[in-house]
Amino acid sequence: MHIDKNILIALEQRYRANLINCLSGFKPALLVGTQSPSGDTNLAMFTNVLHIGANPALLGLLVRPAPAGTERHTLDNITATGEFTLNHVTTSILPAAHQTSARFPRHVSEFTATGLTPEWRDDCKAPYVKEAPVKIALRLAEQQTLAINNTTLVIGEVQSIYLPKEILREDGSVDMAKGHIITSCGLDSYHATAPGTRYQYAKPDTKATKVT
Amino acid sequence: MHIDKNILIALEQRYRANLINCLSGFKPALLVGTQSPSGDTNLAMFTNVLHIGANPALLGLLVRPAPAGTERHTLDNITATGEFTLNHVTTSILPAAHQTSARFPRHVSEFTATGLTPEWRDDCKAPYVKEAPVKIALRLAEQQTLAINNTTLVIGEVQSIYLPKEILREDGSVDMAKGHIITSCGLDSYHATAPGTRYQYAKPDTKATKVT
């Protein structure tokens, strides 16, 4: 099938949103934990999260523009406190994690609404999710608006990482599949993954070789 | 296990790169096809690709800063011609796709080196990958440098989409798992995915409900 730009523009809005949100392929699924200056906790599922750099250790979060009059609790809290957590979604907490995307009023914590448990560690001003095996605390490092569609790229520097010893490999890489971490696609689809195949660092004069 | 910032800074460089590259979780795996103004084709695997917006339809590509003296063929070609393609990696072309990440000299096309086939469609100045079932042509729309670590966020507007009819659902979403599209994690791990579980649009007063 071929969908060119003219067809794309003419598509019904919801159909186009489904299609384009799938086009980038598989994404992570992360719960972003924040707290407002007045102490309200917030939890929201984000899938547009990406690796920005390893040294300094930076992760990015893309926040879509809010239509006039709507609230963006996560972004407001990050801007106000400078801190947030990222918590990886596993198969077992998936329904609760998806439910955080409902439009709860500001005074209702998604923790209370979904049954997930806020956990306070270190001196982090943002709550972790107790049920998530892999969790990261970040400090706001840079915030940039993309002129083209007014989305906000929030870049955080990693302050603290918690993860189970069993999924941390000897070389520092993390076996997310073994940890039952899921991947997402589009606006509403979540997938378990098969054990990974690893390849050695590619060199021009040798064929791709699996790590065994 | 707890890894705080002090431990992180003290880690051996390769270990830290493995760890931090895994932290954002699952990512896509896409082959970026480009052509230089003098007609050299280039193909490179990227995993830091994300959805930027649906209307206009925008995808972003994060390109790491090149150490002094090294070449960035993909970025140079995109800047010069304003066009590039994104081609989803499937299980069957994975070894060839990984091999594109080897440091081939500019005059050696990764198509020739890996056996993948360039395909020219529409009037796109960049080659598609014939073996990839899902492929997208994009035109450079915005390019932004992230001040914090000098990476470049390349944003392209979707011009053309090719995909098999069998994986396009009635609502416009794409079943990437059914299309044998893989997901990646970290620097060298690739995973097949299980069929997805879809959830209905979340509402505050109803529990998370699967789409059946």
Side-chain angles (χ1 to χ4, degrees):
Chain A
M1 277 197 65
H2 181 211
I3 299 169
D4 67 14
K5 206 177 160 182
N6 294 326
I7 298 174
L8 204 56
I9 291 168
L11 288 174
E12 185 268 321
Q13 189 188 337
R14 191 77 199 161
Y15 187 101
R16 184 175 52 230
N18 278 327
L19 174 64
I20 304 301
N21 272 276
C22 286
L23 275 194
S24 62
F26 290 106
K27 303 177 288 184
L30 291 148
L31 287 165
V32 182
T34 57
Q35 187 182 205
S36 74
S38 59
D40 292 327
T41 57
N42 194 274
L43 193 62
M45 172 101 95
F46 278 79
T47 61
N48 286 325
V49 176
L50 88 164
H51 170 83
I52 303 276
N55 190 19
L58 302 169
L59 301 178
L61 181 70
L62 197 71
V63 186
R64 61 186 61 251
T70 60
E71 300 172 341
R72 292 199 289 184
H73 305 164
T74 298
L75 187 58
D76 291 349
N77 292 347
I78 293 175
T79 306
T81 67
E83 297 189 13
F84 60 107
T85 67
L86 292 174
N87 307 266
H88 277 282
V89 175
T90 56
T91 323
S92 56
I93 62 169
L94 174 55
H98 181 80
Q99 187 62 13
T100 64
S101 65
R103 221 173 266 280
F104 295 104
R106 191 181 288 267
H107 68 276
V108 174
S109 169
E110 288 79 8
F111 283 104
T112 315
T114 65
L116 293 167
T117 315
E119 188 177 42
W120 302 94
R121 291 192 181 186
D122 325 315
D123 292 324
C124 185
K125 288 180 206 127
Y128 291 94
V129 176
K130 188 178 180 187
E131 292 82 359
V134 181
K135 36 200 162 199
I136 309 150
L138 299 106
R139 189 162 291 162
L140 179 60
E142 190 175 309
Q143 192 169 317
Q144 209 158 334
T145 300
L146 307 182
I148 200 162
N149 70 347
N150 213 25
T151 52
T152 305
L153 181 63
V154 173
I155 301 176
E157 186 176 349
V158 175
Q159 305 295 314
S160 207
I161 305 164
Y162 290 93
L163 81 174
K165 202 174 176 176
E166 314 86 75
I167 68 171
L168 182 62
R169 298 195 193 95
E170 268 183 28
D171 64 359
S173 67
V174 182
D175 191 342
M176 293 287 180
K178 192 176 178 185
H180 305 288
I181 309 296
I182 56 147
T183 181
S184 70
C185 186
L187 292 167
D188 58 11
S189 185
Y190 306 96
H191 305 248
T193 70
T197 302
R198 299 183 72 194
Y199 283 91
Q200 285 174 14
Y201 189 82
K203 292 181 182 168
D205 52 354
T206 47
K207 284 207 168 184
T209 313
K210 289 185 190 179
V211 174
T212 48
Chain B
M1 277 199 67
H2 181 209
I3 299 169
D4 67 13
K5 207 177 158 182
N6 294 327
I7 298 174
L8 203 57
I9 291 169
L11 289 173
E12 185 267 319
Q13 188 187 338
R14 192 76 198 162
Y15 187 101
R16 185 175 52 229
N18 278 328
L19 175 64
I20 304 300
N21 272 277
C22 285
L23 276 194
S24 62
F26 290 106
K27 304 177 288 184
L30 292 148
L31 287 164
V32 182
T34 56
Q35 187 182 207
S36 75
S38 58
D40 291 326
T41 57
N42 194 275
L43 193 62
M45 172 101 95
F46 278 79
T47 61
N48 287 325
V49 176
L50 90 164
H51 170 84
I52 303 275
N55 190 20
L58 302 168
L59 301 178
L61 182 70
L62 197 70
V63 186
R64 63 185 61 249
T70 59
E71 299 173 340
R72 293 198 290 183
H73 305 164
T74 298
L75 188 58
D76 291 349
N77 291 347
I78 293 176
T79 305
T81 67
E83 298 190 13
F84 60 108
T85 66
L86 291 174
N87 307 267
H88 278 282
V89 175
T90 55
T91 323
S92 55
I93 62 169
L94 174 56
H98 180 79
Q99 187 61 14
T100 64
S101 64
R103 222 173 266 278
F104 295 103
R106 191 182 288 267
H107 68 275
V108 174
S109 169
E110 288 80 6
F111 283 103
T112 315
T114 66
L116 292 167
T117 315
E119 188 177 46
W120 302 94
R121 290 192 182 187
D122 325 317
D123 292 324
C124 185
K125 287 178 207 132
Y128 292 93
V129 175
K130 189 177 180 188
E131 292 82 359
V134 181
K135 37 200 161 199
I136 308 151
L138 298 106
R139 189 161 293 161
L140 178 61
E142 191 175 308
Q143 193 169 316
Q144 210 157 333
T145 300
L146 307 183
I148 199 161
N149 70 347
N150 213 25
T151 51
T152 305
L153 180 63
V154 173
I155 301 177
E157 185 175 349
V158 175
Q159 304 297 312
S160 206
I161 305 164
Y162 290 93
L163 80 175
K165 202 174 176 178
E166 314 86 74
I167 68 170
L168 182 63
R169 298 195 193 94
E170 268 184 27
D171 64 0
S173 67
V174 181
D175 192 342
M176 292 287 180
K178 192 176 178 185
H180 305 288
I181 308 297
I182 57 146
T183 180
S184 70
C185 187
L187 291 166
D188 57 11
S189 184
Y190 306 96
H191 304 250
T193 71
T197 302
R198 299 183 72 194
Y199 283 91
Q200 285 174 14
Y201 188 81
K203 291 180 183 170
D205 53 353
T206 48
K207 285 207 166 184
T209 313
K210 288 184 189 178
V211 175
T212 48

